[in-house]
Amino acid sequence: MITAVGDAPKTALVYGGSRGIGAAIVSRLVEDGYAVAFTFASRADTARDLASALEARGGRATAIQADSADPAAIRTAADAAGERLGSIGLVVVNAGILKLGTVDAVSLDDLNLMIDVNIRGVFLAVQAALPHVSDGGRVVTIGSCSAEWTGFAGSSVYQFTKAAVAAMAKGLARDLAPRKITVNNVQPGPTRTDLSAGFIDTLSERSPLKRIAEPAEIAGLVSYLARAEAGFMTGASLTMDGGLTL
């Protein structure tokens, strides 16, 4: 039986939940007792394996295919999650894309794709989910510490898309405050995912803590933001980067 935390049911929709940080968030929420629907853009086998593993442990997890660059797919996924879960207590928008290139080399296609997924897709994901979100619910976006820090040349587009997400969280928090829905933005630093493979030693050396984050650590912060005791925090961007931006 699904129980409630505060005024919101323990149901969650995670956009971009099949791998890396997203998969860790899905796993943690299931561990916390949530029934979770999560989206994936490709690699249906990976998504099915995650859902099957969680259900084998007694959890409830459903994979839904949706490309976060496609507005129609975003809406369809939100409606499907609403049908399967009923009222949704938590929405996590983790879907994102990184393509590197200095300003003289970024193609129009790459520029548009990062804007479409990292900015437009985040906004539309929240917008599409809202009809299914209960009053008193939670929205968490996954940004990046790059919103505050340019670590290397070639990341300008990614940086400004993540800065836009941080600004967006503030505006959405105002919009949704009358419904007692909080909106917060988590900004991870370098984390052990597919994107960091091959760069772990370099990234670790830059960190004051001399390591990168584990996906489960990011998931733990999302878990906190979903709890009743985080109900007075909204519009915040919480940077979790091991001191990289100090």
Side-chain angles (χ1 to χ4, degrees):
M1 178 178 179
I2 298 170
T3 57
V5 171
D7 296 326
K10 295 194 78 170
T11 51
L13 168 58
V14 179
Y15 291 93
S18 64
R19 297 183 297 165
I21 292 172
I25 291 170
V26 170
S27 298
R28 176 58 186 265
L29 293 175
V30 169
E31 179 183 324
D32 288 348
Y34 281 78
V36 181
F38 66 92
T39 72
F40 66 96
S42 58
R43 294 297 305 273
D45 55 337
T46 301
R48 284 194 301 266
D49 288 347
L50 175 61
S52 296
L54 294 171
E55 290 182 344
R57 299 203 296 265
R60 290 180 56 190
T62 303
I64 301 169
Q65 186 162 18
D67 183 349
S68 288
D70 182 347
I74 291 171
R75 288 192 300 271
T76 299
D79 291 343
E83 290 175 7
R84 298 179 192 190
L85 300 175
S87 184
I88 296 173
L90 169 65
V91 177
V92 180
V93 189
N94 175 66
I97 190 167
L98 167 64
K99 287 184 174 291
L100 297 175
T102 55
V103 63
D104 56 316
V106 174
S107 70
L108 182 59
D109 285 345
D110 284 352
L111 175 64
N112 285 337
L113 182 59
M114 279 191 278
I115 291 173
D116 288 350
V117 174
N118 295 359
I119 303 177
R120 187 185 71 177
V122 174
F123 185 88
L124 292 180
V126 176
Q127 185 182 64
L130 279 177
H132 308 286
V133 176
S134 62
D135 290 355
R138 303 279 191 267
V139 173
V140 178
T141 58
I142 306 300
S144 170
C145 75
S146 68
E148 304 173 2
W149 172 77
T150 301
F152 45 86
S155 63
S156 61
V157 177
Y158 183 74
Q159 181 179 30
F160 80 65
T161 64
K162 293 305 183 178
V165 172
M168 189 189 307
K170 295 179 181 294
L172 295 179
R174 285 283 188 180
D175 287 350
L176 298 178
R179 293 182 56 189
K180 303 298 187 288
I181 296 172
T182 65
V183 183
N184 291 291
N185 178 45
V186 174
Q187 298 187 147
T191 304
R192 193 181 303 276
T193 66
D194 292 346
L195 289 177
S196 64
F199 303 98
I200 292 175
D201 290 344
T202 300
L203 294 170
S204 296
E205 186 58 33
R206 290 188 174 193
S207 168
L209 296 181
K210 301 305 177 186
R211 70 176 181 88
I212 64 175
E214 298 297 332
E217 293 177 296
I218 312 304
L221 181 52
V222 174
S223 174
Y224 166 72
L225 291 172
R227 297 178 201 162
E229 60 262 40
F232 200 59
M233 179 177 290
T234 194
S237 283
L238 306 176
T239 299
M240 191 176 191
D241 67 356
L244 190 64
T245 56
L246 292 175

